Structure formats: structure tokens, C-alpha cells
Amino acid sequence: ILTTHGLPTLIEPAELLASELLGNAIRHTKGPAALKIRQSGPSFRLGAWDTDPTPPTTSPATVCDESGRGLHIVDAYAEDWGWFQVNGTGGKYVWGEMGTKT
């Protein structure tokens, strides 16, 4: 999709963000999860939906930790990120955004 839109430089960071966002949704919730991607003007947004309305949290992470670094990675690679509760499903949507200007 990124290559089709002329954004091959975003492939690796987008793969990392998608992996962290969807991995967190699957690892920390019960029920289905989904990944959504979209381009809007100068930004490209990846987001993960899950059925748990609990806000995402970060924990202190150290180099030796095998877990707990997901949102730290999202924060490092995304120009902006956030979350919101999804009405009607009782779930949430956590997203990360990257600029498309090269």
C-alpha cells in the first residue's frame, strides 16, 4: 500500500508501528482486534481497534525488559499518537501518525 502511494521510505517504520499497535491490542485484550491504515493529506495513520475500553498505559521500561516497551516504541517512531474510546463497541482505537513528506 505504501509503495503504491509513493511512500516506500515509510515501510519499515509503518511495519514497526503496526506490529506494536496490533500486538498490544491482541496481547492485552480479549476478543477481536483490527488494524486500520489511512492517508490524509501530509500524514499517514495506523491504528488498532480492540474491544477493551481501558486506556493504554506506558510502564517504565529498561533495556532488559522483554515487554512493556510497545507504547515507548510508538512514541519514538510516530510524529503523534493517541487513543479514543469507540462508541457502540465498548472498545478503543489507538493510533500512531507519520508524516508523508520525504
Side-chain angles (χ1 to χ4, degrees), residues 21 47 63 91-92:
L21 293 168
V63 175
K92 69 177 168 296

Side-chain angles (χ1 to χ4, degrees), residues 5-50:
H5 288 279
L7 302 169
T9 58
L10 293 181
I11 291 173
E12 287 185 31
E15 287 175 342
L16 182 60
L17 286 177
S19 174
E20 292 301 330
L21 293 168
L22 195 55
N24 284 345
I26 292 168
R27 188 177 303 111
H28 299 293
T29 65
K30 294 180 181 176
L35 181 69
K36 181 178 178 179
I37 58 175
R38 75 177 177 95
Q39 182 180 353
S40 178
S43 63
F44 176 75
R45 182 177 282 193
L46 291 158
W49 166 84
D50 64 56

Side-chain angles (χ1 to χ4, degrees), residues 56-79:
T57 59
T58 58
S59 59
T62 65
V63 175
C64 298
D65 288 342
E66 289 293 320
S67 64
R69 297 180 290 194
L71 289 178
H72 294 286
I73 291 172
V74 170
D75 189 48
Y77 278 82
E79 290 181 5

